[in-house]
Each structure stands twice: as C-alpha cells, then as structure tokens.
Amino acid sequence: MKTKNVIIIGAGIGGVVAAIHLAQHGIKVTVIEKNSHPGGRCDRISREGHHFDTGPTLLVMPLLYEAEFTALGISMSKVLDLQRVDPTYHLVFDDGSQLALTSDMKSLQEQLETFEHGSFEGFLRYMDEGHRHYHLGIEKLVRPDFRKASDFFKLSNLPLVHQVKPLTKHYANMSHYFDDPRLKSAFTFQDVYMGLSPFEAPATFSMMPYTELAHGVWYPKGGMYSVVEALTKLARNAGVEFIFDVAVERIEVNEKSARGVIVNGTLLEADAVLANADLPYVYQNLLPQDGQAEKLAHKRYSCSVVSFFWGLDKTYESLPPHTLFLASDYRENFESIIRDLSLPANPSLYIHAPARLDPSMAPEGQDTLIAIVPIGHISENGEQAKQSCGQDWAELRDEARGHVLRRLSSLGISDLESHIKFEINFTPPSWRKRYNLMKGSTHGLCHNLMQLGYFRPDIQHSHYRNLYFTGASTRPGTGMPTAMVSGRQSAQRIMDDLKK
C-alpha cells in the first residue's frame, strides 16, 4: 500500500505536534515554514549572549502539557528541565502597594488581609470555584473534539451553564469574593492570556488563576523556546521533514478537496493538508474566496502587544522574574485597548527578567529584560484609519517605552535606559509581518462567549474535507498547551479520514 502523505503549512506548536502524531503512525509528513526555524509566535531571539522568548514567557497549565507529552509517548520531565516559579508574580499597584502571588498559603493570607479584612476567606472560595471551572473546562471544553453539533449540544452539557458561569462576566463575578478593586484585578488580569478584557470575559476563566496557584507556574531551563526544541527533536526522530525559509503561495483545490500546496510555482501534492498558519490568514490568502474570509474578518480578535527586548550591560537583581504593574484605572485600560484599539494613558504592563531563573539567558554581569505592554490590534480599516484611530505605531511604541521606564522608576530602577546595550521591539504590524497574524492580534480570535469551545472555528474545512487546521484561532483555543491539544486532535481526524 502506498504511504500516505500529509503537508503541514507552518511549524508552530500545533503543526509540529500534529506532525509527530502522524509520523508515529507511518504517515509521510512534510512541514513547510516561511521562517528560518520552528515555533511560530513561540519564538526566540538571541543577540550578544542575550536570549529572549518572544511569545509565552512562562509555562502554565502543566497538567495539560504533561498529558499531551504523554500522548506523544514521552514524559514531559524527560525532555524539559522545569523549575517552579514561586511567587508566580509580583504585582505592583498604582498606590505603591504590592502583592506576591504565592502558593504559600500563610504568606498569601497575611498579604491579602492587609488589603481587605476577610479577603483570604473570599480567596479560598474563589479557588474552589476556579477548581470546578478548571476541571470541567478541560473535560468539557478543551479535550473533546467536537466533530458534530450533537457532540456539544447534549443533555450532559446543559449543567455547564451554571457550573462554569459562561454567561457571567469575570470581573462582575469577583464581587462575590472581594471588595477591594486591587484584589479584583489581581485575580482577573490572566484574561489577557486569552486576549480578553475581564469586563467581557466569561467567569469561566477563574480557571487560570486557580491552575497557576494550584498546579504552579513553571520555567523550563533555556526558556519557553526549549519546548519548541523538544517537540522539534521528537518530530525529526519520528521522520518528519522540515522545509524552512519557504512560503506556501496557496492551497491548490479542486471542487471537493485539496490537492496540495503551491510552492515557488510548483504543486506539491498531498493526501491531506494541515494549515498551522493563522486561520484568518489561510482563508484570506491561501484559499479561493468564498465569503469565509470576510466572515472571519468580522469576528472578534484578541488584543495585541508592544514588546521590548532589552540587552542590558548591568544586572538588576532586585527585579523578580515576573513583575506586573496593574493600573488603578483598570476598566479604562481595557476600554482603551479593546474599544479604542489604542494604548491606555496609564497602561498595565508586564516585565520578565529570565536571568533570575536561568543565568544562561544573559552574559555574566549583564541582564536580559522583556517588557510587554498590551495595546489594541490593527484597526479594521488598516492604514486608512491610522490617524482616526491614533495608530501611529512608532509614536505608540515610544509612549509604551516611556511607560515601562516610568514604572520601573517607581521601584527605584531609574538608570535602566542608560544601560540598554540594544533594543529589539515588536508592534502589531511586526506581529502581522513576522507571523502572518491577522490585525497583528497576538492571540488570534478572542475567547468571548460566542468564540469559546464548540463555537470556535472547526479544525476541518466544511467543503474541502481533506483540509484541516490547527492553531490559536481554531478549537480549542489560544495558548501553547491548547495548541498541543489542537495538533493532536487534527492529526487524529486526518488519520481517521485517511483510513476511509
């Protein structure tokens, strides 16, 4: 029997995971990637001995990672050297107060009670809810492959409306547990991982602060890109072929199926095609126009970020691994980002100092810093709306840099600018150009109620049945561990269909 052949467009996490599963089952797999190396937006930049993760900077939801590595036939601990990060974050509020989120319950209790009397009891109840939301969310919304509507719309799922609170807004739900707005923000900022505002995110996402404190936030030696390296090694060992620095021009289709892909004007035939490029980009640029691209363009997209990657000639040991500055005008922050597609006047922002966890991330006596400032995605009307939406990216980038330096000064770090050896920065147009992300949205389609679980785009084309998808904008959603789930599910569908 002739060996089946699958072509995968893009070497992101989902694509590489799918490639491993397919190759382990005897299928010939070729991964075509436009960039020079795998990983997609989970990328690495190295310069002068400084190493930067451009995507996720910490490993959350470790149980899901472990399950997906096990599905690949290997233990996560065999391929990743993980250390637990505790406290997970140091939160800094506008009034100067600070909160170290930690799994040390005695320390956390003492800290919480200084913010609000009785708040630790509220925290424990919130964690109970988060526990329920996490386990039901993973079991009912993340792990299942919804191949047909009846897989989701069934009697056994009806209780989810009450069990995981999808109809309740996350921030509004916090009033059941805390009165202090600082604590409400401390346990909802994780919604940004989904590209969402906590004022519109479902309360379901209490699962994120729960898993961070219950299961831990972890850091792999070598940074998050070591996850990509581990998966790529597994793929090569399974016989996957990678072709880098080559862009797919289009997916060649006939009336009912995909024939393969066009590369440098030549058709590479395949029994199935799996697109790991950003889903809206695939519909808009790689497939015949049938109205789907326009429908996707009108869906809700996640926010973007301005990221700064700084190589410093001095070490700032006082700066913890993960510092988050949370603005007191919390609601206005998200309205500026989501509604106005702009930069808030006083943005919340995140600083990552990877050398606190792994000294190899910076040369001896020097430091590596990553600053991430959430911002609106590229406007609907692109360049025509540049002025009306205030999207002068060079100006917004410089404003964002000023906010980072101002925030660091509040911690007594006032000389950082004079110690920057070099800066690399990404704005929304950078994300769009480098990774083909529609509107420069770093998390793809957002996770509001109508784009959650079954309601996200399917991982299989409705007409070209041998064309499949994996990645942030498909099911089950954005994030590295969910990308691994998506890759496994798409591979399983391909294998099931190739047997028919």
Side-chain angles (χ1 to χ4, degrees):
M1 181 182 292
K2 182 185 175 184
T3 301
K4 298 293 186 180
N5 170 35
V6 174
I7 290 177
I8 298 178
I9 305 169
I13 297 290
V16 176
V17 167
I20 300 168
H21 283 290
L22 292 167
Q24 287 178 343
H25 286 81
I27 295 170
K28 183 179 184 299
V29 183
T30 304
V31 180
I32 303 173
E33 167 59 50
K34 82 177 188 74
N35 291 326
S36 62
H37 50 277
R41 71 197 81 180
C42 182
D43 206 347
R44 173 194 281 162
I45 297 173
S46 295
R47 180 171 169 181
E48 299 177 23
H50 299 268
H51 306 288
F52 308 89
D53 285 316
T54 65
T57 57
L58 38 80
L59 190 149
V60 297
M61 304 178 80
L63 302 187
L64 194 54
Y65 274 99
E66 181 62 68
E68 292 305 316
F69 272 105
T70 299
L72 291 170
I74 196 163
S75 169
M76 179 170 68
S77 62
K78 287 283 181 67
V79 293
L80 296 178
D81 183 0
L82 294 172
Q83 60 175 303
R84 186 163 184 167
V85 183
D86 198 321
T88 56
Y89 305 94
H90 283 80
L91 306 183
V92 182
F93 301 96
D94 277 352
D95 63 0
S97 58
Q98 298 188 25
L99 174 63
L101 293 181
T102 173
S103 58
D104 180 338
M105 290 297 103
K106 187 175 186 298
S107 170
L108 190 58
Q109 180 176 10
E110 291 173 354
Q111 293 183 80
L112 290 177
E113 292 297 322
T114 65
F115 282 82
E116 177 187 331
H117 179 67
S119 59
F120 185 67
E121 185 273 334
F123 164 78
L124 293 177
R125 288 189 292 109
Y126 183 59
M127 287 295 100
D128 282 342
E129 178 182 278
H131 174 273
R132 183 177 74 249
H133 288 183
Y134 175 84
H135 289 284
L136 284 171
I138 296 296
E139 177 190 350
K140 300 286 190 179
L141 300 175
V142 174
R143 290 196 192 281
D145 177 10
F146 302 113
R147 300 196 181 196
K148 55 186 184 299
S150 58
D151 290 340
F152 178 75
F153 294 104
K154 54 187 179 182
L155 287 176
S156 60
N157 278 347
L158 281 178
L160 289 176
V161 174
H162 304 290
Q163 291 172 334
V164 300
K165 297 186 175 180
L167 304 178
T168 303
K169 304 303 182 192
H170 196 181
Y171 192 86
N173 188 54
M174 298 307 292
S175 61
H176 294 299
Y177 306 103
F178 307 111
D179 291 325
D180 193 306
R182 293 170 298 178
L183 297 184
K184 292 179 180 180
S185 64
F187 295 103
T188 57
F189 72 83
Q190 296 88 347
D191 294 348
V192 174
Y193 297 164
M194 308 294 142
L196 272 180
S197 158
F199 296 94
E200 62 176 342
T204 311
F205 288 126
S206 63
M207 64 188 288
M208 296 308 298
Y210 163 76
T211 185
E212 288 181 347
L213 290 172
H215 307 143
V217 167
W218 300 78
Y219 187 81
K221 185 176 181 180
M224 288 299 289
Y225 195 75
S226 61
V227 179
V228 176
E229 292 176 323
L231 291 171
T232 304
K233 184 177 180 180
L234 289 174
R236 293 191 190 279
N237 289 344
V240 175
E241 178 188 5
F242 288 90
I243 301 175
F244 294 109
D245 294 309
V246 173
V248 169
E249 294 159 26
R250 72 175 184 272
I251 299 168
E252 187 71 9
V253 297
N254 57 28
E255 288 186 4
K256 292 185 178 180
S257 63
R259 295 178 57 210
V261 301
I262 302 295
V263 173
N264 296 325
T266 301
L267 172 63
L268 302 181
E269 292 186 307
D271 295 296
V273 174
L274 172 60
N276 185 209
D278 191 38
L279 183 72
Y281 173 85
V282 174
Y283 274 100
Q284 186 175 80
N285 296 278
L286 302 183
L287 286 170
Q289 294 304 298
D290 61 358
Q292 288 299 314
E294 188 175 353
K295 287 181 181 178
L296 282 171
H298 287 93
K299 286 185 176 291
R300 287 286 309 282
Y301 283 74
S302 67
C303 63
S304 190
V305 297
V306 176
S307 294
F308 299 97
F309 308 99
W310 288 326
L312 307 174
D313 63 12
K314 174 183 175 180
T315 300
Y316 291 89
E317 290 291 343
S318 63
L319 198 60
H322 302 127
T323 304
L324 194 70
F325 294 89
L326 290 174
S328 56
D329 46 354
Y330 196 55
R331 184 186 294 271
E332 290 81 356
N333 252 258
F334 285 102
E335 286 181 350
S336 295
I337 294 167
I338 305 298
R339 182 192 65 196
D340 303 334
L341 301 181
S342 190
L343 178 71
N346 176 38
S348 298
L349 55 91
Y350 165 70
I351 308 286
H352 176 44
R356 295 302 86 74
L357 300 168
D358 182 353
S360 71
M361 302 303 280
E364 186 175 355
Q366 301 185 30
D367 220 341
T368 295
L369 281 193
I370 300 170
I372 300 175
V373 185
I375 195 170
H377 61 62
I378 297 169
S379 74
E380 296 279 350
N381 299 316
E383 293 304 310
Q384 293 178 347
K386 179 178 176 180
Q387 295 305 318
S388 62
C389 282
Q391 289 187 312
D392 182 328
W393 296 113
E395 181 180 318
L396 290 169
R397 176 202 61 206
D398 293 344
E399 283 183 30
R401 184 191 298 108
H403 287 300
V404 174
L405 296 173
R406 172 178 60 83
R407 293 288 202 178
L408 288 170
S409 293
S410 73
L411 296 182
I413 300 175
S414 56
D415 64 343
L416 187 135
E417 190 170 16
S418 64
H419 290 281
I420 297 176
K421 295 162 52 183
F422 65 85
E423 172 185 294
I424 301 167
N425 58 71
F426 286 3
T427 61
S430 312
W431 296 106
R432 180 174 63 181
K433 180 178 180 180
R434 193 176 181 107
Y435 307 109
N436 289 337
L437 302 181
M438 183 73 73
K439 304 182 184 182
S441 295
T442 48
H443 300 79
L445 296 179
C446 77
H447 290 70
N448 62 353
L449 180 60
M450 295 312 296
Q451 294 176 183
L452 189 65
Y454 171 78
F455 298 106
R456 287 184 83 71
D458 192 12
I459 58 175
Q460 188 169 8
H461 198 282
S462 60
H463 182 69
Y464 309 118
R465 299 303 289 172
N466 66 335
L467 173 58
Y468 307 82
F469 309 103
T470 184
S473 292
T474 60
R475 300 175 193 157
T478 193
M480 286 179 66
T482 43
M484 294 182 72
V485 175
S486 177
R488 173 176 53 78
Q489 291 178 344
S490 59
Q492 188 61 56
R493 283 216 206 172
I494 292 171
M495 290 186 286
D496 290 347
D497 289 346
L498 289 178
K499 290 175 184 175
K500 294 177 182 177

